[in-house]
């Protein structure tokens, strides 16, 4: 018996039943739990109709303690469909459900879920950044990400009812307070962010987690943007800065995801219809993003320690809190140096390695 079967002996028949309303009677074969996914379980499988060709699919099912939008999987499905219309490369939605068994297409998978077509390619960041087969793709990946983000930010907000617009500083101040742990570096970051906010602009649809690990890359470059569960309304620079965090470079030197330069990202973004980006605003959002990642690390490991979602992966993420505090202090040091006439804001992340 395979590992997947031991982990979820009832998943295959429940999944086949859930898919029957869309695909007709199918057998679920090759069910395999994929790595990654701090907020959701991800399974690859094939749906095999009687006498027909197998369809490679992916199931994502929410795990306890994971982060999710107010609208749950239904909102993510709406986002995927709207993104496809906007020209963003995304997987095609095949079926979805709320996990209760209440709907005609939901056999009670136990948690909100969505099934999409499987997009062939690589998602593991270290392979994307180091594989010889993807060397040519890396050369143009920052520009492709810029164009994709312009498409994301061009989705009409009215097409996704229910998206919220949280205040990022207040949101993370509240979260940090609720966690009940002293982190002076994060407190310092929150004070700086509150005192140096960029001017607000018209809100757009923000992906919320556009980074290595949520991108499918092939030899031809970017093939799909995954994991839309943190989407919201906000400043478009948030997504651009999140991709530039040191956390998503995985030891590679280049500032955009470890594979590219900010100039390539921003030039392609603006050429594809994105708003002009102010470099000081980009730096502000990099500070915010670094702090946000630190708070997420605390939340994820807390979910493990509390027993809400026991996971070695979640426990290991907790080790990155001090690393994130260090990154935050270095970003703030660049800011202070600039204010006193030292290093500028043109590409502050490059100084962080």
């Amino acid at each position: 018996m395979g590992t997947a079967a031991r982990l979820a002996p009832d998943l295959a028949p429940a999944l086949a039943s859930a898919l029957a309303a869309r695909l007709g009677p199918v057998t679920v074969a090759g069910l395999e739990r994929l790595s990654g996914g701090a907020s959701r379980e991800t399974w690859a499988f094939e749906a095999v109709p009687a006498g027909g060709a197998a369809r490679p699919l992916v199931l994502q099912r929410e795990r306890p303690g994971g982060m999710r939008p107010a609208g749950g999987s239904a909102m993510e499905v709406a986002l995927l469909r709207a993104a496809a219309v906007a020209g963003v490369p995304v997987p095609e939605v095949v079926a979805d459900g709320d996990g209760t068994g209440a709907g005609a297409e939901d056999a009670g998978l136990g948690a909100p879920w969505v099934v999409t077509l499987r997009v062939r390619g690589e998602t593991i960041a270290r392979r994307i950044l180091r594989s010889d087969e993807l060397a040519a793709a890396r050369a143009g990946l920052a520009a492709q990400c810029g164009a994709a983000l312009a498409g994301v930010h061009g989705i009409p907000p009215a097409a996704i009812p229910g998206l919220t617009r949280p205040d990022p500083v207040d949101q993370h101040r509240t979260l940090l307070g609720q966690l009940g742990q002293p982190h002076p570096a994060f407190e310092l970051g929150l004070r700086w962010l509150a005192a140096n906010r960029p001017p607000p602009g018209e809100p757009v649809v923000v992906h919320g987690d556009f980074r290595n690990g949520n991108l499918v890359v092939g030899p031809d470059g970017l093939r799909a943007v995954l994991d839309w569960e943190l989407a919201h309304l906000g400043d478009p620079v948030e997504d651009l800065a999140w991709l530039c965090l040191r956390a998503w470079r995985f030891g590679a030197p280049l500032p955009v995801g470890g594979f590219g330069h900010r100039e390539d990202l921003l030039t392609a973004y603006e050429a594809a219809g994105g708003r002009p980006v102010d470099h000081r605003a980009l730096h502000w959002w990099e500070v915010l993003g670094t702090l946000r990642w630190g708070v997420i690390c605390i939340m994820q490991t807390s979910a493990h320690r509390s027993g809400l979602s026991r996971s070695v992966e979640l426990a290991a993420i907790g080790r990155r809190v001090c690393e994130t505090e260090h990154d935050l202090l270095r970003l703030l040091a660049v800011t202070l140096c600039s204010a006193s006439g030292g290093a500028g804001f043109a590409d502050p992340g490059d100084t962080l390695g």
Side-chain angles (χ1 to χ4, degrees), residues 183-193 245-246 283 286-292 294 320-338 348-349 351-352:
H183 289 278
F186 294 155
E187 297 290 349
L188 178 64
L190 286 167
R191 292 185 184 185
W192 183 89
L193 288 163
L245 295 195
R246 187 167 178 260
H283 179 74
E286 285 190 46
V287 173
L288 186 285
T290 301
L291 185 145
R292 173 192 170 198
R320 303 198 66 181
V321 175
C322 58
E323 170 189 312
T324 306
E325 290 175 311
H326 185 243
D327 289 345
L328 178 62
L329 291 173
R330 294 178 74 182
L331 280 168
L332 292 176
V334 169
T335 302
L336 295 172
C337 184
S338 174
T351 66
L352 302 182

Side-chain angles (χ1 to χ4, degrees), residues 16 19 23-30 45-57:
L19 292 172
L23 305 181
V26 295
T27 300
V28 169
F45 67 98
E46 291 184 338
V48 186
R55 299 184 70 184
L57 303 174

Side-chain angles (χ1 to χ4, degrees), residues 11 14 38 59 63 65 67 109 169 190 195 208 225 264 299 312 325 335:
L11 182 56
L59 163 71
R63 68 164 63 181
M67 294 172 294
L109 288 171
V169 178
L190 286 167
V225 180
D264 296 331
M299 293 172 62
V312 172
E325 290 175 311
T335 302

Side-chain angles (χ1 to χ4, degrees), residues 86 127 145 153 173 191 194 226 235 268 311 336:
R127 295 179 185 170
C145 287
H153 301 157
R173 182 184 291 112
R191 292 185 184 185
L226 309 177
D235 190 316
S311 163
L336 295 172

Side-chain angles (χ1 to χ4, degrees), residues 12-282:
L15 186 54
S17 179
L19 292 172
R22 289 289 184 88
L23 305 181
V26 295
T27 300
V28 169
L31 190 66
E32 178 186 2
R33 178 77 176 269
L34 301 180
S35 61
S39 60
R40 292 185 299 182
E41 300 171 354
T42 302
W43 303 77
F45 67 98
E46 291 184 338
V48 186
R55 299 184 70 184
L57 303 174
V58 170
L59 163 71
Q60 289 196 309
R61 184 172 63 167
E62 292 181 14
R63 68 164 63 181
M67 294 172 294
R68 59 191 293 253
S73 293
M75 183 174 290
E76 183 166 5
V77 168
L79 283 159
L80 285 169
R81 289 174 172 154
V85 172
V88 182
V90 291
E92 179 185 340
V93 175
V94 174
D96 65 285
D98 63 11
T100 66
E105 299 175 2
D106 187 354
L109 288 171
W113 59 276
V114 59
V115 170
T116 65
L117 288 181
R118 193 187 318 171
V119 178
R120 300 291 183 181
E122 185 60 73
T123 60
I124 297 175
R126 294 189 184 279
R127 295 179 185 170
I128 292 171
L129 295 173
R130 292 165 175 79
S131 169
D132 291 340
E133 294 180 0
L134 298 177
R138 287 193 293 274
L141 192 53
Q144 289 179 322
C145 287
L149 280 173
V152 173
H153 301 157
I155 295 172
I160 317 294
L163 284 180
T164 61
R165 187 186 183 184
D167 180 284
V169 178
D170 290 347
Q171 179 186 39
H172 289 90
R173 182 184 291 112
T174 299
L175 287 172
L176 191 60
Q178 291 172 343
L179 291 167
Q181 298 182 21
H183 289 278
F186 294 155
E187 297 290 349
L188 178 64
L190 286 167
R191 292 185 184 185
W192 183 89
L193 288 163
N196 294 275
R197 288 177 182 264
E202 187 69 21
V204 302
V205 173
V206 172
H207 179 277
D209 201 15
F210 193 101
R211 58 170 176 85
N212 268 327
N214 290 337
L215 308 176
V216 180
V217 178
D220 53 341
L222 181 63
R223 290 182 173 177
V225 180
L226 309 177
D227 292 350
W228 293 69
E229 71 266 28
L230 298 182
H232 56 275
L233 298 179
D235 190 316
V237 185
E238 177 182 346
D239 276 337
L240 294 159
W242 186 247
L243 181 60
C244 296
L245 295 195
R246 187 167 178 260
W248 312 133
R249 302 175 197 171
F250 295 88
L254 297 180
V256 177
F259 50 72
H261 294 279
R262 283 181 178 79
E263 182 180 358
D264 296 331
L265 174 72
L266 300 182
T267 298
Y269 176 75
E270 294 176 14
R275 301 174 189 170
V277 177
D278 178 82
H279 284 272
R280 289 181 180 269
L282 184 66

